[in-house]
């Protein structure tokens, strides 16, 4: 399948309203036997909330998904920015039993869709020779496909715009100011500042102030 044909087929998959249709096309284009699409920013122990779509058995989704998302948590914000859209390989932990016909090397492709950090994991048949150029296409075509499903992926509340006051607080955070300093600068209480910061992190799907700043810079908010 050519890249141009893949794009055309993804348009049809987007119109069908099924994320999995397009992901199966992308996995086939890359030559992968299995795929797992996850949001690293919503992983919690014992939950499958992070998994968006997969054609793995459920127990494999839980096990490999937790390995995948935990690995992403170890990456710094700068590394996340520089590695976005670039495929890399992760060795499956020896403690995990993989089907015998599959390679233990897992291809990991990180990318952003709106405010969400996404990770696509691909698994190939053992010994298969895959195309590096097609792997580099994967992040772009995934982002293209998932743009049609933003509300399904991270909900209406995450897509809300930041208010002027939230942007003001975020700008001061980027300047290295503490909550106490921001409260003095803009004339509101420390608790109100912290409430704004909590709201910012919820809307941007970030967990720390540094991640919120990086998100704002990436999206030209500050």
């Amino acid at each position: 399948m050519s890249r141009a044909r893949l794009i055309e087929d993804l348009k049809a998959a987007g119109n069908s309203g099924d994320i999995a249709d397009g992901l199966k096309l992308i996995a086939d284009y890359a030559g992968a036997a299995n795929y797992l699409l996850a949001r690293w920013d919503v992983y919690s122990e014992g939950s499958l909330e992070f998994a968006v779509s997969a054609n793995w058995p459920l127990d494999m989704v839980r096990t490999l998904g937790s390995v995948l998302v935990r690995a992403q948590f170890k990456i710094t914000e700068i590394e996340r920015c520089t590695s976005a859209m670039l495929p890399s390989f992760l060795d499956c932990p020896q403690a995990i039993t993989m089907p015998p016909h599959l390679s233990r090397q897992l291809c990991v492709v990180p990318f952003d869709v709106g405010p969400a950090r996404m990770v696509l994991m691909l698994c190939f048949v053992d010994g298969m020779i895959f195309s590096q150029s097609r792997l580099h296409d994967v992040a772009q075509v995934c982002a293209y496909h998932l743009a049609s499903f933003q509300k399904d992926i991270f909900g209406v509340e995450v897509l809300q715009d930041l208010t002027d006051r939230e942007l003001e607080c975020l700008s001061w955070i980027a300047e290295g100011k503490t909550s106490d300093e921001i409260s003095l600068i803009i004339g509101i209480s420390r608790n109100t500042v912290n409430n704004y910061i909590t709201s910012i992190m919820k809307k941007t799907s970030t967990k720390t102030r540094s991640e919120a700043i990086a998100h704002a810079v990436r999206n030209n908010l500050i």
Side-chain angles (χ1 to χ4, degrees), residues 19-20 22-23 26 69 71 75 83 104 106 140 155 160 176 189 191 194 204 207 213 221:
I19 292 176
L23 293 174
I26 292 167
V69 179
I75 299 174
S83 65
R104 297 191 66 84
L106 307 169
Q140 293 180 344
Q160 293 174 349
S189 72
N191 285 340
N194 287 334
T204 59
K207 293 185 178 295
I213 293 167
L221 298 178

Side-chain angles (χ1 to χ4, degrees), residues 32-126:
N34 295 93
Y35 71 84
L36 166 62
L37 179 68
R39 281 188 62 184
W40 70 264
D41 55 311
V42 295
Y43 174 72
S44 59
E45 190 68 34
S47 170
L48 288 174
E49 185 183 14
F50 61 84
V52 176
S53 182
N55 64 348
W56 299 87
L58 183 60
D59 59 335
M60 295 286 289
V61 171
R62 186 185 300 277
T63 302
L64 288 178
S66 64
V67 170
L68 171 65
V69 179
R70 283 175 177 172
Q72 293 299 304
F73 270 119
K74 297 177 182 178
I75 299 174
T76 67
E77 186 63 32
I78 292 176
E79 288 171 332
R80 289 190 191 109
C81 293
T82 57
S83 65
M85 313 287 281
L86 297 177
S88 61
F89 286 86
L90 173 70
D91 288 328
C92 182
Q94 290 299 319
I96 296 177
T97 301
M98 290 282 286
H101 67 289
L102 294 181
S103 170
R104 297 191 66 84
Q105 267 206 325
L106 307 169
C107 181
V108 177
V109 186
F111 59 97
D112 296 334
V113 179
R117 287 288 179 81
M118 312 297 297
V119 185
L120 181 70
M121 176 187 284
L122 299 173
C123 189
F124 299 86
V125 172
D126 195 21

Side-chain angles (χ1 to χ4, degrees), residues 153-166:
I153 295 170
F154 34 76
V156 175
E157 73 282 354
V158 179
L159 297 175
Q160 293 174 349
D161 292 331
L162 298 181
T163 66
D164 290 341
R165 188 62 105 181
E166 288 168 348

Side-chain angles (χ1 to χ4, degrees), residues 123-142:
C123 189
F124 299 86
V125 172
D126 195 21
M128 178 178 176
I129 299 175
F130 47 81
S131 167
Q132 289 286 354
S133 63
R134 291 200 170 201
L135 287 182
H136 281 276
D137 286 340
V138 164
Q140 293 180 344
V141 294
C142 266

Side-chain angles (χ1 to χ4, degrees), residues 5-34:
R5 174 59 186 274
L6 174 63
I7 296 297
E8 289 300 315
D9 288 348
L10 286 176
K11 288 180 182 178
N15 292 334
S16 75
D18 191 342
I19 292 176
D21 286 349
L23 293 174
K24 180 62 167 60
L25 288 169
I26 292 167
D28 289 345
Y29 174 79
N34 295 93

